[in-house]
Amino acid sequence: MREEITYIGEKIAKNSDNLANRVRELKTEEFGSATIRTANWEELFSYIGEVITGDGPSSMHHIEMWADREGEQKVEAEVELDQSLRTMNFVRRAIWGIFSEELSNDQFSSSTVVHICKTINEVLDEITKHFSQTYSRNIRLEWERKEMRMAELSVPVVPITKGVAVLPLIGEVDTNRAQLIMETSLNKSSEFELDYIFIDVSGVPVIDTLIANYIYQVVHALELVGVHATLTGLRPETAKSLVDMGVDFTHVHTKAGLHQALEEIGIYIHHGES
């Protein structure tokens, strides 16, 4: 049995190129010629052969590293998880395919076949486990990065000159975004060493008492750290509604438009000669 196992392991390692090409053929048949190829299958089959023969004590560790690397690459290539997992079956088919002659002639004892099946299944299970864990972790990190980029775009603090910046708010303001506005405005005020920040709300469709309270808290927090905050773009009908609802903005510095707020601190917008 030992000789048969060694023979199988060595043949897999020696035929790593052929096995890799067979996996690629099976992938093309299943998913089409446009399938994205990132895996170094030759490397994997060499490791599998070493695991079977027992020649490489660190081969299983190399297989785990291979699976982790493949998981990262598949996320970068935006390959679906189920496609990658289904490919593991092609690995099994490719391995047994090179032993078709030996199997048809019953050259291997049943105990050898059982042992090899068990070993290969354990290897592929480990690959699937590590690949799935790495894939899921990287998908989550990528999603968090995209959310962070989207969040930054939703609260753009734009410096216009030294010590002065504009924060244009566009779209609805909910609890999460209000918290983000607070954090971003404070962080950017420190980063840009701001003296003045103009919060323009002309792009906010609805400002009710809850949103007005959010804005007031942001303005108050900025004032506490020494940044003079001015609210601009408050539409007349919105201002009237807030007064009717009893919202007190008397302690918030406001200007009808951004250009007026800028002129107040000596920054003028020139539109050119007519």
Side-chain angles (χ1 to χ4, degrees), residues 14 18 53 77 92 103 128 169 179 219 263 267 269-270:
K14 290 177 182 178
N18 294 332
T53 59
R92 186 181 289 104
L103 292 171
T128 300
L169 297 180
Q179 182 63 34
V219 170
E263 288 176 1
I267 299 176
I269 300 174
H270 299 284

Side-chain angles (χ1 to χ4, degrees), residues 28-90:
T28 301
E29 292 173 9
E30 180 75 13
F31 305 119
S33 58
T35 179
I36 296 175
R37 299 179 178 181
T38 62
N40 186 337
W41 297 110
E42 292 84 354
E43 184 180 42
L44 176 62
F45 283 113
S46 295
Y47 293 148
I48 291 175
E50 291 175 1
V51 168
I52 291 173
T53 59
D55 291 340
S58 60
S59 297
M60 203 63 204
H61 175 64
H62 290 153
I63 286 175
E64 293 169 359
M65 291 178 62
W66 181 93
D68 290 338
R69 185 173 66 248
E70 178 66 5
E72 293 176 358
Q73 292 174 341
K74 280 295 189 286
V75 171
E76 292 176 2
E78 298 182 349
V79 178
E80 295 292 334
L81 177 61
D82 66 321
Q83 182 182 123
S84 297
L85 296 181
R86 285 164 64 189
T87 304
M88 287 300 101
N89 186 48
F90 302 153

Side-chain angles (χ1 to χ4, degrees), residues 155-157 165-170 173 181-182 185-186 189 194 196-204 207 214-223 227-234 249 252-258 261-262:
V155 188
V157 177
V166 176
L167 170 53
L169 297 180
I170 300 174
V173 177
I181 292 169
M182 175 76 79
S185 59
L186 290 171
S189 293
L194 297 181
Y196 298 92
I197 186 168
F198 301 100
I199 304 174
D200 187 80
V201 296
S202 57
V204 180
I207 299 180
Y214 290 151
I215 294 172
Y216 177 80
Q217 290 177 2
V218 171
V219 170
H220 184 57
L222 288 166
E223 296 284 356
V227 181
H228 185 69
T230 299
L231 191 65
T232 68
L234 198 61
F249 261 21
V252 177
H253 188 61
T254 62
K255 283 291 180 182
L258 182 58
L262 292 172

Side-chain angles (χ1 to χ4, degrees), residues 61-152:
H61 175 64
H62 290 153
I63 286 175
E64 293 169 359
M65 291 178 62
W66 181 93
D68 290 338
R69 185 173 66 248
E70 178 66 5
E72 293 176 358
Q73 292 174 341
K74 280 295 189 286
V75 171
E76 292 176 2
E78 298 182 349
V79 178
E80 295 292 334
L81 177 61
D82 66 321
Q83 182 182 123
S84 297
L85 296 181
R86 285 164 64 189
T87 304
M88 287 300 101
N89 186 48
F90 302 153
V91 173
R92 186 181 289 104
R93 287 171 59 184
I95 288 175
W96 288 116
I98 66 168
F99 295 108
S100 56
E101 183 177 344
E102 289 92 335
L103 292 171
S104 62
N105 294 329
D106 294 326
Q107 288 183 222
F108 301 136
S109 65
S110 57
S111 58
T112 296
V113 174
V114 169
H115 175 82
I116 296 299
C117 282
K118 181 175 180 293
T119 302
I120 291 174
N121 287 337
E122 288 175 352
V123 169
L124 297 186
D125 285 346
E126 281 298 306
I127 292 174
T128 300
K129 182 185 77 174
H130 281 270
F131 176 88
S132 300
Q133 289 174 343
T134 301
Y135 186 96
S136 299
R137 182 173 62 252
N138 280 271
I139 281 288
R140 184 177 65 255
L141 292 173
E142 182 62 24
W143 178 255
E144 289 173 354
R145 283 193 291 267
K146 287 181 179 179
E147 279 194 325
M148 187 175 297
R149 288 194 291 268
M150 289 299 294
E152 290 173 351

